[in-house]
Amino acid sequence: MQDLATKFANLTIQSDFIFKQVMSRKRICIHLLEELLQIEIADIKYLEAEKTLEPEYTSRGIRLDIIVADDKNTHYNLEMQVKNIKNPDTDTYVLPKHSRYYQALLDIDLLQKGQPYDLLPPTFIIFICVFDFFEQGNYVYTFKKRCLENLELELPDEATTMILNTKGTHGAISKDIKSFYDYVNNHIVTTDFTKQIDDEISYLKLDTKVRREFMLMEARLLDERREGEAVGIAKGKEIGLAEEKLATAKRMLAKGCYSLEVISELTNLSLADVEKLKEEQAEQT
């Protein structure tokens, strides 16, 4: 496994850490949004990069890479997606529900308690994907809610989801967005815009504060992984012990020379559980 210093030196724009740092530069973030949406943005403000949103009720929190608001109060969430993750339990890709959940929690965070719904600002959830999720070859897939009975009728909730495909081959995008795609894919500098990004990454890698932040982040993530592995191992042992107790109780019941109370005492199973096992064995015979 490569050491952290080497890992830091090899980081590219595809890294969440570097992407966040680069997009924290106003001129780069504004230009990317302007070129992508073909609009003019006078200024943006950052609403805490890589912010974690956790609602008050029990649910899953989310970590957002970059959240900005422009001078017209339109909010943008920019995310770099390198892997097309699939849930092995359901055999489905998670990106669509991922975007739905991001939108929901972002809206909750934007609307203060007691405020009317119409104060929700326009939002853009933008996933920069290093893969073609829909396999249609588009550079960009833009989604808004439309009426199935009349596809020209759009629900004016001002919420837009954009899934960018850096591997795309067709569609209308600007020269700078195409050059940005090439840079994400192959680290190729073809325009002044991607040269700005490449220069910024070079400066970042010389910044000792940035390097230290990366080291601390990696150490924290490693601790979290180790903690998760330890919990998983402990849970596995607990399940294994429970299964062993049940197997022992079943063998003792099969011999027919132990009372239910003795089996309960020796296996640490409740008397009710032992009685249930006995009933199940009786049904099977």
Side-chain angles (χ1 to χ4, degrees):
M1 181 179 176
Q2 62 183 344
D3 59 59
L4 289 181
T6 303
K7 185 175 182 179
F8 178 75
N10 292 334
L11 292 178
T12 69
I13 189 70
Q14 291 189 19
S15 158
D16 285 338
F17 180 80
I18 289 294
F19 177 74
K20 180 193 75 170
Q21 296 286 341
V22 170
M23 288 303 145
S24 293
R25 303 303 188 260
K26 274 190 177 184
R27 71 183 189 282
I28 293 176
C29 190
I30 287 176
H31 189 71
L32 180 66
L33 292 172
E34 286 182 328
E35 290 294 304
L36 179 63
L37 302 172
Q38 292 297 292
I39 59 174
E40 291 186 4
I41 298 176
D43 194 17
I44 58 174
K45 61 180 178 179
Y46 288 86
L47 307 178
E48 189 181 349
E50 206 174 74
K51 179 176 183 179
T52 298
L53 300 181
E54 295 181 0
E56 294 180 1
Y57 50 83
T58 302
S59 71
R60 178 174 177 171
I62 59 173
R63 176 167 290 182
L64 306 177
D65 282 351
I66 292 291
I67 311 175
V68 299
D70 67 15
D71 49 297
K72 300 180 179 63
N73 199 35
T74 299
H75 285 62
Y76 308 88
N77 169 216
L78 293 165
E79 303 284 330
M80 178 66 71
Q81 297 288 315
V82 175
K83 296 181 180 179
N84 191 13
I85 300 171
K86 178 185 283 189
N87 184 336
D89 296 327
T90 61
D91 197 38
T92 56
Y93 291 100
V94 304
L95 184 62
K97 296 291 180 67
H98 190 173
S99 68
R100 173 178 165 183
Y101 197 65
Y102 269 35
Q103 183 67 61
L105 289 191
L106 185 59
D107 283 345
I108 289 173
D109 192 62
L110 290 174
L111 195 65
Q112 301 299 313
K113 186 175 181 180
Q115 286 185 319
Y117 296 120
D118 62 304
L119 290 184
L120 276 172
T123 60
F124 284 82
I125 304 290
I126 302 171
F127 291 99
I128 303 169
C129 298
V130 190
F131 52 87
D132 187 353
F133 183 82
F134 297 100
E135 299 182 348
Q136 300 292 310
N138 289 16
Y139 287 127
V140 181
Y141 301 95
T142 304
F143 296 91
K144 288 178 174 288
K145 297 183 181 70
R146 295 188 181 277
C147 175
L148 292 180
E149 289 74 22
N150 180 1
L151 294 179
E152 294 183 0
L153 186 61
E154 180 184 311
L155 185 67
D157 62 356
E158 297 185 302
T160 304
T161 297
M162 301 182 73
I163 298 178
L164 311 189
N165 169 26
T166 66
K167 306 293 187 183
T169 56
H170 57 263
I173 57 173
S174 72
K175 178 182 177 181
D176 276 354
I177 293 298
K178 181 61 172 66
S179 71
F180 176 71
Y181 282 7
D182 291 337
Y183 186 78
V184 171
N185 292 333
N186 303 307
H187 196 70
I188 298 173
V189 175
T190 56
T191 62
D192 179 65
F193 180 49
T194 49
K195 186 177 186 307
Q196 288 183 44
I197 294 174
D198 193 58
D199 288 345
E200 189 62 45
I201 293 175
S202 297
Y203 297 146
L204 287 168
K205 290 184 178 180
L206 295 175
D207 191 324
T208 54
K209 283 182 62 177
V210 174
R211 185 186 297 110
R212 190 179 306 115
E213 182 182 344
F214 174 76
M215 301 293 186
L216 290 172
M217 181 195 73
E218 285 292 301
R220 185 176 69 249
L221 292 175
L222 180 60
D223 287 343
E224 290 176 356
R225 284 195 295 269
R226 285 173 174 170
E227 182 180 348
E229 289 171 359
V231 170
I233 291 171
K235 187 174 181 181
K237 289 181 177 179
E238 184 180 336
I239 292 172
L241 183 59
E243 291 175 346
E244 184 179 339
K245 288 178 180 180
L246 288 172
T248 301
K250 288 177 180 179
R251 288 195 297 269
M252 294 176 74
L253 284 168
K255 287 185 176 294
C257 56
Y258 299 96
S259 68
L260 301 185
E261 289 77 12
V262 169
I263 295 174
S264 174
E265 181 181 351
L266 294 178
T267 61
N268 285 327
L269 292 173
S270 69
L271 185 59
D273 285 339
V274 177
E275 290 174 345
K276 184 179 179 181
L277 282 176
K278 184 179 180 180
E279 292 173 1
E280 291 175 352
Q281 283 190 349
E283 291 175 355
Q284 293 172 3
T285 56

